[in-house]
Amino acid sequence: MGKWMGIAESIAKDFECDAALDRIQVIRKHLDRGMTHRMLCVELRVLRETIDNGLKNQYLYRYPKDKARVLGNWRDDWATVTAAFPSTQKDILECVDLWAMDHPTASVFHAMRILEHGLRALANYVGRAFDIQNWQNIIDEIESEIRDRAKKLPRGQQKNETLQFLSVAAKEFTYFKDGWRNYVSHNKSDYDEHQAQTAFEHVRAFMIVLSSQLREVAP
Protein backbone atom coordinates (compact mmCIF):
# COMPACT_ATOMS: atom_id res chain seq x y z
CA MET A 1 0.00 0.00 0.00
CA GLY A 2 2.91 2.33 0.73
CA LYS A 3 4.03 2.10 -2.90
CA TRP A 4 0.62 3.08 -4.26
CA MET A 5 0.29 5.92 -1.79
CA GLY A 6 3.67 7.17 -2.96
CA ILE A 7 2.48 7.13 -6.59
CA ALA A 8 -0.71 8.99 -5.62
CA GLU A 9 1.33 11.55 -3.72
CA SER A 10 3.66 12.08 -6.67
CA ILE A 11 0.70 12.67 -9.01
CA ALA A 12 -0.91 15.06 -6.52
CA LYS A 13 2.33 17.04 -6.21
CA ASP A 14 2.88 17.18 -9.99
CA PHE A 15 -0.61 18.60 -10.51
CA GLU A 16 -0.64 20.73 -7.36
CA CYS A 17 -3.67 18.97 -5.91
CA ASP A 18 -3.39 20.20 -2.33
CA ALA A 19 -6.67 18.61 -1.26
CA ALA A 20 -5.45 15.22 -2.48
CA LEU A 21 -2.16 15.66 -0.61
CA ASP A 22 -4.09 16.42 2.58
CA ARG A 23 -6.24 13.33 2.03
CA ILE A 24 -3.17 11.14 1.55
CA GLN A 25 -1.81 12.28 4.91
CA VAL A 26 -5.12 11.37 6.55
CA ILE A 27 -5.02 7.89 4.98
CA ARG A 28 -1.44 7.35 6.10
CA LYS A 29 -2.35 8.21 9.68
CA HIS A 30 -5.23 5.73 9.55
CA LEU A 31 -2.92 3.07 8.14
CA ASP A 32 -0.43 3.64 10.94
CA ARG A 33 -3.16 3.20 13.54
CA GLY A 34 -4.76 0.27 11.76
CA MET A 35 -7.93 0.26 9.68
CA THR A 36 -10.37 -2.25 8.29
CA HIS A 37 -10.54 -3.21 4.63
CA ARG A 38 -13.92 -1.50 4.40
CA MET A 39 -12.53 1.75 5.80
CA LEU A 40 -9.60 1.58 3.41
CA CYS A 41 -11.90 1.16 0.41
CA VAL A 42 -13.92 4.18 1.49
CA GLU A 43 -10.79 6.31 1.97
CA LEU A 44 -9.36 5.29 -1.41
CA ARG A 45 -12.64 6.11 -3.14
CA VAL A 46 -12.61 9.55 -1.53
CA LEU A 47 -8.97 10.02 -2.58
CA ARG A 48 -9.77 9.08 -6.16
CA GLU A 49 -12.65 11.56 -6.23
CA THR A 50 -10.42 14.25 -4.73
CA ILE A 51 -7.75 13.67 -7.38
CA ASP A 52 -10.40 13.65 -10.14
CA ASN A 53 -11.74 17.00 -8.92
CA GLY A 54 -8.22 18.39 -8.74
CA LEU A 55 -7.54 17.42 -12.36
CA LYS A 56 -10.67 19.05 -13.78
CA ASN A 57 -9.06 22.44 -14.29
CA GLN A 58 -5.69 21.14 -15.42
CA TYR A 59 -4.45 21.77 -18.97
CA LEU A 60 -2.34 19.09 -20.60
CA TYR A 61 -0.69 18.97 -24.01
CA ARG A 62 -0.09 15.82 -26.01
CA TYR A 63 2.77 16.04 -28.48
CA PRO A 64 2.04 14.54 -31.90
CA LYS A 65 4.02 11.34 -32.32
CA ASP A 66 6.34 12.59 -35.08
CA LYS A 67 7.10 15.81 -33.19
CA ALA A 68 7.57 13.97 -29.91
CA ARG A 69 10.21 11.86 -31.62
CA VAL A 70 12.14 14.94 -32.76
CA LEU A 71 11.84 16.52 -29.32
CA GLY A 72 12.97 13.31 -27.64
CA ASN A 73 16.10 13.18 -29.82
CA TRP A 74 17.15 16.81 -29.44
CA ARG A 75 20.20 16.05 -27.28
CA ASP A 76 21.61 13.56 -29.77
CA ASP A 77 20.69 15.62 -32.83
CA TRP A 78 22.40 18.72 -31.46
CA ALA A 79 25.23 17.00 -29.55
CA THR A 80 27.98 18.39 -31.78
CA VAL A 81 26.65 21.92 -31.34
CA THR A 82 26.20 21.75 -27.57
CA ALA A 83 29.68 20.28 -27.16
CA ALA A 84 31.22 23.33 -28.84
CA PHE A 85 28.64 25.85 -27.58
CA PRO A 86 27.29 24.61 -24.22
CA SER A 87 25.24 27.75 -23.62
CA THR A 88 23.05 26.97 -26.62
CA GLN A 89 21.30 24.12 -24.80
CA LYS A 90 18.47 26.20 -23.33
CA ASP A 91 17.62 27.88 -26.63
CA ILE A 92 17.91 24.60 -28.54
CA LEU A 93 15.47 22.85 -26.22
CA GLU A 94 13.05 25.78 -26.33
CA CYS A 95 13.39 26.02 -30.11
CA VAL A 96 12.50 22.36 -30.65
CA ASP A 97 9.93 22.23 -27.85
CA LEU A 98 8.05 25.29 -29.09
CA TRP A 99 7.97 23.84 -32.59
CA ALA A 100 6.65 20.54 -31.21
CA MET A 101 3.98 22.45 -29.26
CA ASP A 102 2.86 24.27 -32.43
CA HIS A 103 4.40 27.66 -31.65
CA PRO A 104 6.49 27.95 -34.84
CA THR A 105 7.22 31.69 -34.77
CA ALA A 106 8.59 31.44 -31.23
CA SER A 107 10.64 28.45 -32.37
CA VAL A 108 12.25 30.53 -35.13
CA PHE A 109 13.03 33.28 -32.61
CA HIS A 110 14.99 30.83 -30.45
CA ALA A 111 16.72 29.41 -33.52
CA MET A 112 18.09 32.89 -34.21
CA ARG A 113 19.27 33.11 -30.61
CA ILE A 114 21.20 29.88 -31.14
CA LEU A 115 22.99 31.49 -34.08
CA GLU A 116 24.16 34.42 -31.98
CA HIS A 117 26.55 32.10 -30.14
CA GLY A 118 28.11 31.17 -33.45
CA LEU A 119 28.23 34.78 -34.64
CA ARG A 120 29.99 35.82 -31.44
CA ALA A 121 32.56 33.04 -31.87
CA LEU A 122 33.18 33.97 -35.51
CA ALA A 123 33.67 37.62 -34.59
CA ASN A 124 36.11 36.62 -31.86
CA TYR A 125 38.02 34.40 -34.31
CA VAL A 126 38.81 37.40 -36.51
CA GLY A 127 39.56 39.71 -33.60
CA ARG A 128 36.23 41.47 -33.26
CA ALA A 129 33.74 41.57 -30.39
CA PHE A 130 30.02 40.96 -30.88
CA ASP A 131 28.26 42.80 -28.10
CA ILE A 132 25.49 45.29 -28.79
CA GLN A 133 25.92 45.78 -32.53
CA ASN A 134 23.15 44.71 -34.83
CA TRP A 135 23.89 41.73 -37.03
CA GLN A 136 24.64 43.75 -40.14
CA ASN A 137 27.27 45.84 -38.39
CA ILE A 138 29.17 42.90 -36.94
CA ILE A 139 28.92 41.00 -40.22
CA ASP A 140 30.41 44.03 -41.98
CA GLU A 141 33.24 44.08 -39.43
CA ILE A 142 33.88 40.38 -39.90
CA GLU A 143 33.95 40.70 -43.69
CA SER A 144 36.38 43.62 -43.38
CA GLU A 145 38.72 41.44 -41.33
CA ILE A 146 38.39 38.64 -43.89
CA ARG A 147 39.47 41.02 -46.66
CA ASP A 148 42.48 42.09 -44.60
CA ARG A 149 43.48 38.46 -44.07
CA ALA A 150 43.16 37.79 -47.77
CA LYS A 151 45.84 40.42 -48.32
CA LYS A 152 48.13 39.51 -45.43
CA LEU A 153 48.08 35.73 -45.08
CA PRO A 154 50.83 33.85 -46.93
CA ARG A 155 49.70 31.96 -50.00
CA GLY A 156 48.95 28.30 -49.68
CA GLN A 157 46.37 25.68 -48.88
CA GLN A 158 45.96 26.86 -45.30
CA LYS A 159 45.12 30.38 -46.44
CA ASN A 160 42.61 29.10 -48.99
CA GLU A 161 40.87 26.87 -46.46
CA THR A 162 40.76 29.56 -43.79
CA LEU A 163 39.36 32.21 -46.13
CA GLN A 164 36.81 29.80 -47.54
CA PHE A 165 35.56 28.86 -44.08
CA LEU A 166 35.34 32.48 -42.92
CA SER A 167 33.75 33.77 -46.12
CA VAL A 168 31.10 31.06 -46.27
CA ALA A 169 30.30 31.52 -42.58
CA ALA A 170 29.89 35.29 -42.96
CA LYS A 171 27.63 34.84 -45.99
CA GLU A 172 25.54 32.27 -44.14
CA PHE A 173 24.93 34.73 -41.32
CA THR A 174 23.80 37.29 -43.89
CA TYR A 175 21.44 34.66 -45.30
CA PHE A 176 19.96 33.93 -41.88
CA LYS A 177 19.69 37.64 -41.09
CA ASP A 178 17.86 38.49 -44.30
CA GLY A 179 15.81 35.30 -44.43
CA TRP A 180 14.61 34.98 -40.85
CA ARG A 181 16.27 37.02 -38.13
CA ASN A 182 15.17 40.49 -39.25
CA TYR A 183 11.59 39.36 -39.68
CA VAL A 184 11.11 37.40 -36.47
CA SER A 185 13.00 39.90 -34.29
CA HIS A 186 11.04 42.91 -35.53
CA ASN A 187 7.59 41.31 -35.63
CA LYS A 188 7.40 41.44 -39.42
CA SER A 189 6.44 37.85 -40.11
CA ASP A 190 4.80 34.74 -38.69
CA TYR A 191 5.85 31.19 -39.54
CA ASP A 192 4.11 27.86 -39.90
CA GLU A 193 5.46 24.59 -38.56
CA HIS A 194 7.15 23.64 -41.85
CA GLN A 195 8.94 26.97 -42.14
CA ALA A 196 10.05 26.76 -38.52
CA GLN A 197 11.37 23.23 -38.99
CA THR A 198 13.26 24.33 -42.08
CA ALA A 199 14.75 27.21 -40.10
CA PHE A 200 16.00 25.21 -37.15
CA GLU A 201 17.29 22.38 -39.32
CA HIS A 202 19.33 24.90 -41.33
CA VAL A 203 20.56 26.42 -38.09
CA ARG A 204 21.56 23.01 -36.75
CA ALA A 205 23.43 22.07 -39.94
CA PHE A 206 25.26 25.40 -40.00
CA MET A 207 26.15 25.34 -36.32
CA ILE A 208 27.58 21.85 -36.78
CA VAL A 209 29.86 23.27 -39.49
CA LEU A 210 30.92 26.13 -37.19
CA SER A 211 31.55 23.62 -34.40
CA SER A 212 34.32 22.06 -36.47
CA GLN A 213 36.36 25.25 -36.20
CA LEU A 214 34.95 27.45 -33.44
CA ARG A 215 34.13 27.24 -29.75
CA GLU A 216 31.92 29.20 -27.40
CA VAL A 217 32.94 32.71 -26.42
CA ALA A 218 31.50 34.30 -23.28
CA PRO A 219 29.25 37.28 -24.01
Side-chain angles (χ1 to χ4, degrees):
M1 180 55 64
K3 175 183 176 182
W4 293 109
M5 294 303 295
I7 293 174
E9 184 174 34
S10 177
I11 293 172
K13 286 180 177 177
D14 287 344
F15 289 94
E16 302 178 276
C17 297
D18 292 337
L21 288 171
D22 292 340
R23 199 70 216 168
I24 289 169
Q25 295 307 312
V26 170
I27 295 173
R28 281 184 166 153
K29 289 179 181 178
H30 286 318
L31 286 170
D32 290 340
R33 296 169 186 167
M35 60 192 308
T36 66
H37 182 267
R38 180 182 178 84
M39 289 176 58
L40 178 60
C41 289
V42 171
E43 289 290 352
L44 291 179
R45 184 171 64 251
V46 172
L47 175 60
R48 186 191 65 188
E49 292 172 353
T50 304
I51 292 175
D52 286 345
N53 286 333
L55 294 177
K56 284 182 179 179
N57 294 321
Q58 300 284 343
Y59 292 88
L60 303 177
Y61 181 81
R62 187 193 70 81
Y63 293 94
K65 186 181 297 184
D66 58 338
K67 291 185 175 182
R69 187 179 302 110
V70 175
L71 178 59
N73 291 334
W74 79 270
R75 289 187 184 277
D76 291 337
D77 291 343
W78 293 79
T80 302
V81 178
T82 57
F85 301 94
S87 296
T88 60
Q89 290 190 54
K90 184 175 184 293
D91 279 308
I92 291 170
L93 175 57
E94 292 183 0
C95 172
V96 181
D97 190 29
L98 286 164
W99 167 78
M101 293 182 69
D102 200 26
H103 296 291
T105 300
S107 173
V108 173
F109 176 79
H110 282 279
M112 298 303 104
R113 282 173 57 97
I114 295 167
L115 285 172
E116 292 200 349
H117 295 271
L119 184 56
R120 184 174 294 107
L122 182 64
N124 181 75
Y125 186 86
V126 299
R128 296 284 183 162
F130 176 40
D131 187 13
I132 60 174
Q133 312 100 308
N134 64 43
W135 276 35
Q136 187 59 60
N137 288 349
I138 190 60
I139 290 171
D140 288 344
E141 291 181 36
I142 291 170
E143 290 181 332
S144 175
E145 290 293 335
I146 294 172
R147 289 191 292 271
D148 285 345
R149 291 189 179 212
K151 298 175 183 177
K152 297 176 181 178
L153 288 175
R155 293 182 180 181
Q157 184 66 22
Q158 182 63 44
K159 173 181 180 179
N160 293 339
E161 291 177 358
T162 299
L163 291 178
Q164 181 182 31
F165 171 76
L166 294 175
S167 298
V168 169
K171 292 302 180 186
E172 283 292 311
F173 278 114
T174 298
Y175 164 72
F176 283 115
K177 174 185 68 70
D178 293 340
W180 284 293
R181 197 264 180 184
N182 285 352
Y183 294 94
V184 74
S185 296
H186 300 292
N187 199 27
K188 293 181 178 179
S189 182
D190 293 322
Y191 299 90
D192 62 31
E193 63 176 289
H194 304 294
Q195 293 169 322
Q197 186 175 18
T198 296
F200 77 68
E201 286 182 347
H202 277 308
V203 168
R204 178 166 63 89
F206 177 55
M207 289 296 290
I208 288 173
V209 172
L210 289 186
S211 298
S212 68
Q213 302 285 334
L214 305 176
R215 289 294 181 270
E216 183 170 292
V217 176

